[in-house]
Amino acid sequence: LAYGVGVAVTVGAAAYQFLVLPHLHLAPFVLLSLAVVAAAWLAGTGPGVVAALLATVLGNLLFIAPAGHFHLAGPGALATILFACTATAIAWLTGSLRAAMAAADAKAALLRAVLDKMPAGVLITDPEGRPFAVNEEMARLRGALPESVPADGQGDLVGFHPDGRTLRREEWPLHRSLAQGVTISDEVIEYQRPDGARGFLSVNAAPVAVGDGWSSPVG
């Protein structure tokens, strides 16, 4: 099926150019180049390479004058060779990018599944303290859906000091960890959800270095 997609995309591009855009004979491989990219992106490296070879043959036969002959010499042959080399490289690069992105998506899905199976609530923010991921347990603690990421790091949770005062945003462990660059462990906080239910959280927060110094706190 994947190779069929590559062939279909290439033949379709050649037919469209031959029937609808004959003026492109001065640039015979324009649409065929796009077809190779599409084939490699949709179906992978192998089908993309097959599309590149098929596009080379079709471009030479249909769009290099005189049409209907495979040109083995002259400018047409040189253009065909250059296209074959370039198209094959494009197919390989596009297919490799597609495979790399698919692998990254699979790893992200695995990490998401692991986080959601954890019995502890997990919240991850950017360096500015803006959360972009919560797991299912954190969503349950907040009384919200997993897709509802809080804007301030706690969302609808209200925290309290031992004397009953309400915690300000900057007083939550996650934000203190981010501001001070330190790990905070097992800090117990009384909290209240929007539905009025109260409980206690044992909170851990730590800055995580990523790449060239990018730091993301995890709570």
Side-chain angles (χ1 to χ4, degrees):
L1 179 61
Y3 283 89
V5 169
V7 170
V9 169
T10 306
V11 172
Y16 183 79
Q17 181 170 335
F18 184 78
L19 297 173
V20 181
L21 303 172
H23 61 281
L24 287 182
H25 69 279
L26 295 177
F29 297 106
V30 172
L31 288 187
L32 293 173
S33 298
L34 298 178
V36 171
V37 173
W41 184 258
L42 293 173
T45 302
V49 172
V50 170
L53 298 178
L54 179 59
T56 299
V57 174
L58 291 176
N60 188 297
L61 283 173
L62 298 177
F63 305 118
I64 294 178
H69 299 280
F70 194 85
H71 303 80
L72 299 176
L78 178 60
T80 300
I81 293 172
L82 290 175
F83 173 77
C85 296
T86 303
T88 301
I90 289 173
W92 183 81
L93 290 173
T94 304
S96 298
L97 177 60
R98 175 182 183 268
M101 293 181 66
D105 288 342
K107 289 181 179 179
L110 176 61
L111 177 59
R112 176 80 258 175
V114 170
L115 287 175
D116 283 339
K117 292 299 181 182
M118 293 179 65
V122 178
L123 182 146
I124 305 173
T125 80
D126 66 14
E128 303 302 321
R130 294 184 293 264
F132 60 82
V134 298
N135 69 347
E136 290 182 355
E137 179 63 14
M138 175 59 78
R140 186 191 67 80
L141 290 172
R142 294 178 50 248
L145 296 175
E147 294 78 12
S148 177
V149 179
D152 61 359
Q154 282 63 241
D156 299 326
L157 295 182
V158 178
F160 303 96
H161 288 282
D163 61 6
R165 290 181 297 112
T166 301
L167 284 172
R168 299 192 304 274
R169 178 179 186 272
E170 63 272 16
E171 293 177 323
W172 280 85
L174 185 146
H175 294 288
R176 293 185 359 245
S177 174
L178 175 63
Q180 301 169 19
V182 298
T183 297
I184 297 174
S185 301
D186 300 323
E187 183 169 314
V188 178
I189 294 177
E190 184 180 7
Y191 75 97
Q192 177 177 301
R193 297 193 328 189
D195 60 6
R198 285 205 177 199
F200 289 88
L201 295 174
S202 178
V203 182
N204 297 273
V208 178
V210 180
D212 298 328
W214 194 88
S215 179
S216 174
V218 178

